[in-house]
Amino acid sequence: MTTKPARPAMADYVFKPHERPTLPGSPANPDHPTARMVRHFLIGCLIGITGGLGNALVTVNLNFAQGTLGLNSDEAAWLTAAYFMTNVTANLLLVKYRQQFGLQPFIRYTLAAYAVTTLMHLFIHDFWTSVAVRAMSGIAASGLSTLTILYFFQSLPASKRLAAVMIGIGIPQIATPLARVLSPGLLVWGDWHNLYWFEFGLALATLAAVMAQPLPPSEREKVFEPLDFLTFGLLAPGLWLLIAVLSQGRIQWWAERPWIGWSLAASVALIAAAVLVEHHRKNPLINTRWLGTREMLRLIAVAASVRILLSEQAFGSVGFLGTVGMINDQMVTLNLIIIIASIAGLATAVLSFRPAHLSQPIIFALVLIVIASFMDAHTTNLTRPSHFYLSQALIGFASLLFLAQAMVIGIARTLLAGGKNFISFVVIFSMSQSIGGLAGGTLLGTFQTVREKYHSHELVQNIVATDPLVAARLGAGSRAVAGTVGDPALRNAEGAALLSQQVTREAHILAYNDVFLLVGVLAILMTIWGFIISRSIRRRNEPSPVILLVQRAQSQAQAQAQQEQ
């Protein structure tokens, strides 16, 4: 009986030249059999969802956790702020850690840290320790976002690597609507710890999957320099202060707390000092000269601006439905539609990808945001989740269509400029998306608050007790409590209080309509800007970065083939 010779272990496998890692710290690119590629794809999906759900489950149930832990609204906001603080800045060092110490330690420590921090949530019940655990969770989730893309790289052939980037950046984005779908079932017994038991189970499943199907080995080189830690020591606190201001400014109000102004000033000074240090380094952690080019500044500005517009979904529609009394249980179908539309947007980005026409999908996504925003700008107190099905499906579709295209453009320009700029792009792009999303919610929330005060003043001005309609409303409110309140004077006071609540609710509804209109107008301006940029590129006959990248890869492949001959 003959036995088939065993395939050599991946660690002992001799990689061909085209299979070697693209960058230190990245896995090698061997020719995988189909079954292994499928496993890598499924594990990539699992990692992406696991990493995204960590913050999403807390964010969409913040009021529930706030009540359970006995926190004020500003204290509850620190939970998400702590997560963003570490999540945004962790990549400053994690990318270089992976390059110097190898991929496998990075994977093991990242997943172990994520599982441990999730488990700690189950035993932490006070404010400061909860903030510390959320900060640790942000670091771990930052590593998972990178790991997601690395697994998708292994799941597709070399010619489809840009599609892997699109999928890897898109999958975690559906975590927020997915969290709103899952939360009602997880909280059915009223225990918010069930959220973390579920997340802990996902973390263990991810750890088991990664151990069962590890990534190919990577190459290592010494990359850390002493000035890296100086840059981190300046930039990280600067970003932390900025995130603190964005998280607390709308809640504690911008001009009411002196620490907000001092923090913003210190943030600007620290970030400027970090940029100054990096600008004069021979081997910068963040290549400010490359990031300061016209193409990269334009990409970063567009990415951050569109992220702010996409807050129409995270803040606008959800906030409005909360105002009229809707909770996650009543928005399950809406969020399922958003998930399906988002996946459709990602599939469209992958299948319709045209290297010569990279700006067209972005402009199309902006047009969809314009349409959806103006559709939502006519809400009333009778509007329910079903009225948002189409508009929010358009927003979900546009979000992943835009994000996938923007990421591909950035990656292509990064690889053309050289692998040494990879850290710069990863750090800046993640900052633009995280801080852009946080800033979007803050700016729209501030605008909504200002407009609510305006509309409330206007409505109150027209309330006169001698008006028959007002008198009828007061009488209806009094009769509503007649069964429980016997004192006529107290019944009249309760009727006036009910009318006041109705006026406040209507003022909030009008303010949300103003928010939707604002987003629509800003999206129109962004669309016009996109057309101007696209026309300018065509007029200069500027080649697509993806086409240039493909041409360079083909030239390198031909040169390699000639050498082998």
Side-chain angles (χ1 to χ4, degrees), residues 22-23 26 91 95 98-99 145-146 148-150 152-153 158-170 290-291 295-296 299-300 303 353 358 362 402-430 432-433 544-550 552-553:
T22 306
L23 297 170
S26 299
N91 271 326
V95 176
R98 196 174 73 240
Q99 293 178 343
S145 62
T146 301
T148 301
I149 296 177
L150 295 180
F152 279 116
F153 270 165
S159 60
K160 303 293 183 183
R161 290 287 158 78
L162 291 179
V165 173
M166 294 182 180
I167 300 172
I169 198 69
W290 174 66
L291 291 173
E295 293 79 11
M296 291 307 300
L299 175 63
I300 294 168
F353 179 65
L358 294 176
I362 294 178
F402 156 77
L403 187 60
Q405 297 288 334
M407 187 68 174
V408 164
I409 296 173
I411 287 289
R413 292 198 180 280
T414 301
L415 296 178
L416 284 173
K420 62 182 180 180
N421 295 317
F422 183 74
I423 298 175
S424 302
F425 173 72
V426 169
V427 170
I428 296 301
F429 191 83
S430 63
S432 72
Q433 295 304 289
S544 165
V546 177
I547 292 178
L548 292 176
L549 185 63
V550 171
R552 191 176 74 174

Side-chain angles (χ1 to χ4, degrees), residues 68-302:
T68 304
L69 295 174
L71 305 178
N72 298 323
S73 58
D74 58 333
E75 291 176 330
W78 282 114
L79 297 179
T80 53
Y83 176 91
F84 278 112
M85 286 176 180
T86 55
N87 184 262
V88 168
T89 56
N91 271 326
L92 284 168
L93 298 180
L94 284 182
V95 176
K96 279 202 169 184
Y97 176 89
R98 196 174 73 240
Q99 293 178 343
Q100 181 158 329
F101 297 102
L103 181 62
Q104 296 307 321
F106 167 80
I107 294 173
R108 289 195 298 268
Y109 296 148
T110 294
L111 288 174
Y114 190 80
V116 169
T117 53
T118 304
L119 184 63
M120 290 176 64
H121 277 96
L122 299 169
F123 304 101
I124 298 302
H125 301 287
D126 62 273
F127 171 63
W128 286 110
T129 48
S130 296
V131 170
V133 171
R134 293 307 301 152
M136 293 170 60
S137 181
I139 298 174
S142 178
L144 289 184
S145 62
T146 301
L147 195 57
T148 301
I149 296 177
L150 295 180
Y151 263 90
F152 279 116
F153 270 165
Q154 303 297 316
S155 69
L156 295 175
S159 60
K160 303 293 183 183
R161 290 287 158 78
L162 291 179
V165 173
M166 294 182 180
I167 300 172
I169 198 69
I171 288 294
Q173 306 304 316
I174 66 174
T176 298
L178 182 60
R180 294 190 184 279
V181 171
L182 296 175
S183 294
L186 294 173
L187 296 174
V188 68
W189 291 290
D191 186 359
W192 70 284
H193 287 92
N194 289 334
L195 300 174
Y196 293 114
W197 280 117
F198 178 74
E199 187 183 358
F200 182 60
L202 281 178
L204 293 181
T206 301
L207 183 60
V210 169
M211 293 178 65
Q213 185 62 72
L215 289 172
S218 63
E219 296 178 348
R220 295 184 294 174
E221 65 179 25
K222 187 175 181 180
V223 292
F224 274 117
E225 298 180 4
L227 285 178
D228 291 340
F229 300 98
L230 174 61
T231 298
F232 183 83
L234 292 171
L235 186 58
L239 292 173
W240 294 344
L241 289 172
L242 177 61
I243 292 171
V245 170
L246 293 176
S247 300
Q248 296 292 329
R250 181 170 63 94
I251 298 173
Q252 301 190 27
W253 203 246
W254 305 98
E256 297 296 324
R257 296 289 186 269
W259 73 265
I260 293 178
W262 287 111
S263 297
L264 188 59
S267 171
V268 173
L270 288 169
I271 294 174
V275 171
L276 187 64
V277 170
E278 289 298 284
H279 193 71
H280 292 89
R281 286 182 61 183
K282 182 179 179 180
N283 297 309
L285 182 65
I286 300 176
N287 191 341
T288 55
R289 288 181 172 83
W290 174 66
L291 291 173
T293 59
R294 177 181 58 189
E295 293 79 11
M296 291 307 300
L297 286 176
R298 186 173 61 201
L299 175 63
I300 294 168
V302 170

Side-chain angles (χ1 to χ4, degrees), residues 340-364:
I340 294 171
S342 299
I343 295 174
L346 179 59
T348 301
V350 172
L351 297 176
S352 66
F353 179 65
R354 298 292 182 270
H357 304 285
L358 294 176
S359 61
Q360 290 181 357
I362 294 178
I363 294 175
F364 181 63

Side-chain angles (χ1 to χ4, degrees), residues 251-551:
I251 298 173
Q252 301 190 27
W253 203 246
W254 305 98
E256 297 296 324
R257 296 289 186 269
W259 73 265
I260 293 178
W262 287 111
S263 297
L264 188 59
S267 171
V268 173
L270 288 169
I271 294 174
V275 171
L276 187 64
V277 170
E278 289 298 284
H279 193 71
H280 292 89
R281 286 182 61 183
K282 182 179 179 180
N283 297 309
L285 182 65
I286 300 176
N287 191 341
T288 55
R289 288 181 172 83
W290 174 66
L291 291 173
T293 59
R294 177 181 58 189
E295 293 79 11
M296 291 307 300
L297 286 176
R298 186 173 61 201
L299 175 63
I300 294 168
V302 170
S305 300
V306 176
R307 193 64 181 178
I308 292 174
L309 297 181
L310 292 173
S311 298
E312 195 269 14
Q313 186 170 85
F315 170 80
S317 60
V318 173
F320 170 84
L321 291 172
T323 299
V324 296
M326 300 291 105
I327 57 177
N328 287 334
D329 303 59
Q330 295 154 311
M331 292 187 276
V332 170
T333 303
L334 172 62
N335 284 285
L336 283 173
I337 291 173
I338 292 173
I339 292 172
I340 294 171
S342 299
I343 295 174
L346 179 59
T348 301
V350 172
L351 297 176
S352 66
F353 179 65
R354 298 292 182 270
H357 304 285
L358 294 176
S359 61
Q360 290 181 357
I362 294 178
I363 294 175
F364 181 63
L366 288 170
V367 172
L368 292 181
I369 296 174
V370 172
I371 295 172
S373 299
F374 284 117
M375 288 177 63
D376 291 341
H378 302 88
T379 55
T380 68
N381 56 22
L382 298 178
T383 300
R384 294 297 179 264
S386 59
H387 296 91
F388 286 100
Y389 286 170
L390 179 57
S391 63
Q392 295 309 301
L394 293 177
I395 294 285
F397 183 94
S399 64
L400 287 197
L401 179 62
F402 156 77
L403 187 60
Q405 297 288 334
M407 187 68 174
V408 164
I409 296 173
I411 287 289
R413 292 198 180 280
T414 301
L415 296 178
L416 284 173
K420 62 182 180 180
N421 295 317
F422 183 74
I423 298 175
S424 302
F425 173 72
V426 169
V427 170
I428 296 301
F429 191 83
S430 63
M431 286 182 186
S432 72
Q433 295 304 289
S434 299
I435 297 181
L438 191 60
T442 299
L443 294 176
L444 295 184
T446 300
F447 180 77
Q448 192 272 341
T449 300
V450 172
R451 295 301 295 173
E452 185 273 330
K453 300 304 179 185
Y454 169 79
H455 288 298
S456 180
H457 175 74
E458 291 296 311
L459 292 174
V460 170
Q461 290 282 75
N462 297 319
I463 296 179
V464 181
T466 55
D467 187 327
L469 292 177
V470 174
R473 285 293 186 96
L474 291 172
S478 300
R479 290 190 295 272
V481 298
T484 55
V485 179
D487 186 351
L490 187 56
R491 281 202 305 269
N492 291 335
E494 289 292 334
L498 289 174
L499 179 60
S500 176
Q501 292 175 4
Q502 293 170 357
V503 169
T504 300
R505 184 189 63 182
E506 293 301 319
H508 276 289
I509 291 172
L510 292 172
Y512 275 110
N513 284 337
D514 292 343
V515 168
F516 296 136
L517 286 173
L518 175 65
V519 172
V521 171
L522 293 177
I524 290 175
L525 296 177
M526 281 292 299
T527 304
I528 296 172
W529 185 30
F531 274 118
I532 294 174
I533 292 174
S534 179
R535 184 175 179 181
S536 176
I537 291 174
R538 288 197 302 268
R539 188 173 60 250
R540 295 194 308 268
N541 199 23
E542 183 178 319
S544 165
V546 177
I547 292 178
L548 292 176
L549 185 63
V550 171
Q551 290 174 349

